Amino acid sequence: MADAGSVAVPGGAAPGAGALLEVDHTHGETRPWKIRIVRHPERSVSGHFRAAKKVVKKILEELSAAGADAPYGPGPHEMHHGGSLWVMTGSGWRMYRARVGIEWSMQFCADPAKIDRLRQEAADLVAAFPFTLPALDALGYKRARDLLSRPVTDADSVEAWTDSLFNACVPMSNPHHSGVLPKAAGEHHYPWPTKSADFFKFDDFQLWVTLPDGTHAGVAPVDRRGSGDGHVRIVHARHGTPAGDVLAEAQRRRMMAVAAPDSPVALAAFEQQIPLGADTASTPPVG
């Protein structure tokens, strides 16, 4: 572990010998500013996006018929512009994620040369799976060959790539796509290094917890399952909150922000793993 020590979240002691920091204030802006919430023209759906959604629906139907799971769980699905690189392997369809995804609104600041690099990387991946283009042809997505081979040089070709099967078709449920805590942590609102754990964590570990001030945090255990260590590391907290401030301070000092095993944060994170009514999360998991 690269961390040099630990920083305590207010109300909990940190493991190890690291320095403890108590946050007793928050920061504010001295100059007022405003953000407007305004009406905007109805977002148009491009022909590129309609074609991509049509083919990915067929791909998902094929996955379902084969008894395979969609990449991020069951639907109903919304299509997330998250860098969806669909390929046909010897055992069926697979989706990989591009180096970066281009959210629809971000295309308007996109440098065509940088988007063309994404196209080239996608073309290299698809070339490694030679069944892909014939399979897409059979599903009616004949534009795939042109998208992969034609350089991105202007706003029109940026739009075509942004709304294509190779960017715009990460199938996610609405909560995983754009949900907001306490209901769900959508990818649009929470950092991917933390959000991604929703798709690989133990089902009985609570990734997102409510803090004493009513805000929410993403947490992780500090040791492997069965270790008996009930400390949790704060890996995401809202900026400008006590937890967010101490997390930022910990990161500046190359340390960790942790909550004690008997804190409400740790007890909530491990609630399904520890005995009912336990007053500490430092106990072997139940079951």
Side-chain angles (χ1 to χ4, degrees):
M1 186 176 294
D3 304 273
S6 305
V7 177
V9 169
L20 303 184
L21 299 181
E22 295 293 335
V23 176
D24 58 8
H25 66 279
T26 58
H27 298 281
E29 295 288 340
T30 57
R31 297 183 179 181
W33 58 282
K34 297 179 181 179
I35 296 176
R36 293 180 177 180
I37 298 178
V38 302
R39 296 183 183 276
H40 59 78
E42 188 68 23
R43 172 174 161 180
S44 61
V45 177
S46 71
H48 304 293
F49 194 29
R50 283 194 295 270
K53 288 195 296 182
K54 183 177 180 179
V55 72
V56 83
K57 180 180 178 181
K58 295 178 181 179
I59 290 173
L60 292 172
E61 289 172 350
E62 288 192 8
L63 285 174
S64 179
D69 294 328
Y72 295 108
H77 294 112
E78 297 178 351
M79 291 302 122
H80 172 44
H81 285 61
S84 49
L85 300 180
W86 286 96
V87 296
M88 171 60 83
T89 71
S91 56
W93 288 103
R94 297 287 185 273
M95 193 206 76
Y96 296 93
R97 294 289 288 261
R99 179 165 50 86
V100 294
I102 313 160
E103 173 48 38
W104 182 85
S105 58
M106 302 308 292
Q107 67 178 292
F108 304 118
C109 69
D111 180 340
K114 295 178 181 178
I115 304 307
D116 193 59
R117 180 181 171 189
L118 297 177
R119 177 196 63 80
Q120 294 175 47
E121 292 169 353
D124 288 344
L125 178 69
V126 172
F129 295 91
F131 299 127
T132 301
L133 291 177
L136 290 175
D137 285 343
L139 293 179
Y141 196 69
K142 300 183 184 297
R143 65 183 69 197
R145 297 174 188 273
D146 185 63
L147 282 163
L148 292 169
S149 62
R150 184 184 297 274
V152 177
T153 59
D154 56 19
D156 286 343
S157 48
V158 166
E159 178 188 12
W161 187 260
T162 298
D163 276 351
S164 75
L165 177 69
F166 304 112
N167 180 72
C169 292
V170 178
M172 286 185 166
S173 67
N174 177 267
H176 281 312
H177 185 196
S178 57
V180 177
L181 291 169
K183 291 186 176 181
E187 183 171 340
H188 273 272
H189 304 293
Y190 300 89
W192 186 242
T194 304
K195 166 63 188 172
S196 62
D198 266 325
F199 302 111
F200 62 76
K201 71 179 182 66
F202 286 110
D203 290 339
D204 60 5
F205 180 76
Q206 185 64 35
L207 174 65
W208 303 99
V209 298
T210 302
L211 299 175
D213 64 358
T215 61
H216 301 91
V219 299
V222 298
D223 205 345
R224 64 183 59 183
R225 188 181 181 90
S227 68
D229 191 333
H231 289 91
V232 290
R233 179 176 182 172
I234 310 299
V235 291
H236 169 73
R238 186 187 302 172
H239 295 298
T241 63
D245 288 345
V246 77
L247 177 58
E249 178 67 14
Q251 291 172 337
R252 282 194 294 270
R253 297 181 60 178
R254 299 180 64 82
M255 299 172 117
M256 292 194 305
V258 302
D262 60 353
S263 68
V265 175
L267 291 172
F270 288 112
E271 181 179 12
Q272 297 178 63
Q273 295 185 20
I274 60 179
L276 184 65
D279 58 7
T280 178
S282 285
T283 180
V286 175

